[in-house]
Amino acid sequence: MRYLVTGAAGFLGTNLCLRLLEDGHEVLGIDNLSTGFSYNLETLRKNKKFSFLKHDVTQPYPDIGKIDFLYNLACPASPPRYQKDPVQTFRTSIWGIWNAIEFARKNKITIFHTSTSEVYGDPLMHPQKEAYWGNVNPIGIRACYDEGKRGAEALLMDYHRSTGNPIKVVRIFNTYGPYMDPKDGRVISNFLNQAISGRPLTIYGDGKQTRSFCFVDDLIEGIIRMEKSPKEFIGPVNLGNPKEFTLLELVKAIEKSIGKKQKLEFLPLPGDDPKQRRPDISLAKEKLNWGPDTSLETGLSKTLDYFRALGPS
Ligand code: UDP
C-alpha cells in the first residue's frame, strides 16, 4: 500500500509512519514543518520507502500520484503551540479536512482522521464516552483547537452521510513517548526535560487536575486496529489510557524514574484548562479488541531514554 500521512514530522505522525514502514508499506509524508520536529524527519528519511513533501494542508493537495489510504494528522496539538497562531490552527483543522475530503473523493480512498479528547472540552461527564457532546468554551483561548477539531468531525460526518464514502475517526487522549519534540510545551516533555537538566518542574495551578497518559506504541496499535476494522465501523472511537493521574502523582512517577526528588515551581493555570480527563475505552475494547498495556513507569523510562539521547534542551 502507498499511504499519505499529513503531519508526518509531528510526534504521532512520525510514530505512525515508522509503524507503516515497518509493516512494509510505502509512505508519502506531508508537513508544513511549522511544529514538526526536524529530528523526526531525519529519522524517517533514512527509510527508502519514505518520501516527503513540504506542503501546508490548508492548500489543496498538489499532484502526488496514486495513494491507497489517507491519514490526516496535521495540526499543532500542544496548547502553547496551537495558541501561538490560533487562526492558522483553526484553518489547519477546517481547511485541512476539507482538502483531505476533496482528495479522498477524487481518489476514492478512505480518510482516517485523528480527532482529539479536546472535543469534550472541560468535561462534565467522567469518564468521557464517545456519546458525550462535551463542554467547550466556544470563545476561549482553546477554542481554535477544540472547535476546529469539532468542526472537522462535523464536516467529515456530513461528507460521509452525503456520499457514503469511507471514513474513520479516532479521538486521541494525552499521549507521550519517543519523537515528542522536547520543546513542545506539554506536561510530560516539560517535566522530563526539566528533570534531566536539573530545573524545577513547572506545575500550572495546584497540580490536582488529572490527565490519563497513553504510551505512543499502544496508541499506534489502536490506530492500526481501527484502520483494519470493518468498513462500517467509522467511529468516532476514543483511544487513550483509562488510568487517571493528578499532575502531582505524575511528578511522583517521574521522581521514581529519575531516582531523585524534584523541586517544583507553581505557576498560574492557563485559561480553560480542563480539570479532569479520562477516556472510557469500552468501545475500542469491544470493536477493536484494544487497550493500552504499557505502564506509566515503563513508558516514562523509555521516554526518558529518548530525551537523554537527544541531549539537553
Ligand atoms: N501543565 C503543567 N506544566 C507544564 C505543562 C503543562 O502543569 O509544564 C499542565 C497543563 O496546564 C494541563 C496538564 O498539565 O493541566 C496537561 O497539559 P498538556 O499541555 O500536556 O496537555 P492538555 O491535556 O492540556 O492538552
Side-chain angles (χ1 to χ4, degrees), residues 11 37 175-182 184 186 189 306-307 310:
F11 162 48
F37 184 32
T175 304
Y176 69 102
Y179 301 105
M180 281 187 108
D181 181 343
D184 84 349
R186 273 182 283 198
S189 42
Y306 157 75
F307 282 132
L310 272 184

Side-chain angles (χ1 to χ4, degrees), residues 94-154:
I94 302 298
W95 288 111
I97 199 70
W98 182 269
N99 289 318
I101 286 171
E102 286 303 300
F103 184 82
R105 190 207 307 264
K106 279 189 209 130
N107 291 275
K108 302 187 172 48
I109 57 171
T110 303
I111 302 181
F112 188 117
H113 178 60
T114 54
S115 188
T116 167
S117 58
E118 287 282 320
V119 300
Y120 304 122
D122 189 3
L124 303 176
M125 177 195 255
H126 200 67
Q128 293 82 56
K129 281 182 184 298
E130 291 83 353
Y132 178 49
W133 290 355
N135 176 40
V136 173
N137 174 359
I139 54 169
I141 58 169
R142 287 175 93 104
C144 59
Y145 186 70
D146 300 6
E147 296 292 12
K149 287 285 193 175
R150 286 165 69 96
E153 280 196 20

Side-chain angles (χ1 to χ4, degrees), residues 2-4 28-30 51-56 59-67 99 102-103 106-107:
R2 184 167 186 251
Y3 285 84
L4 174 62
L28 169 63
I30 66 178
S51 50
F52 179 73
L53 183 71
K54 185 166 186 271
H55 176 74
D56 189 322
Q59 303 302 316
Y61 294 4
D63 187 7
I64 50 176
K66 188 180 171 309
I67 297 288
N99 289 318
E102 286 303 300
F103 184 82
K106 279 189 209 130
N107 291 275

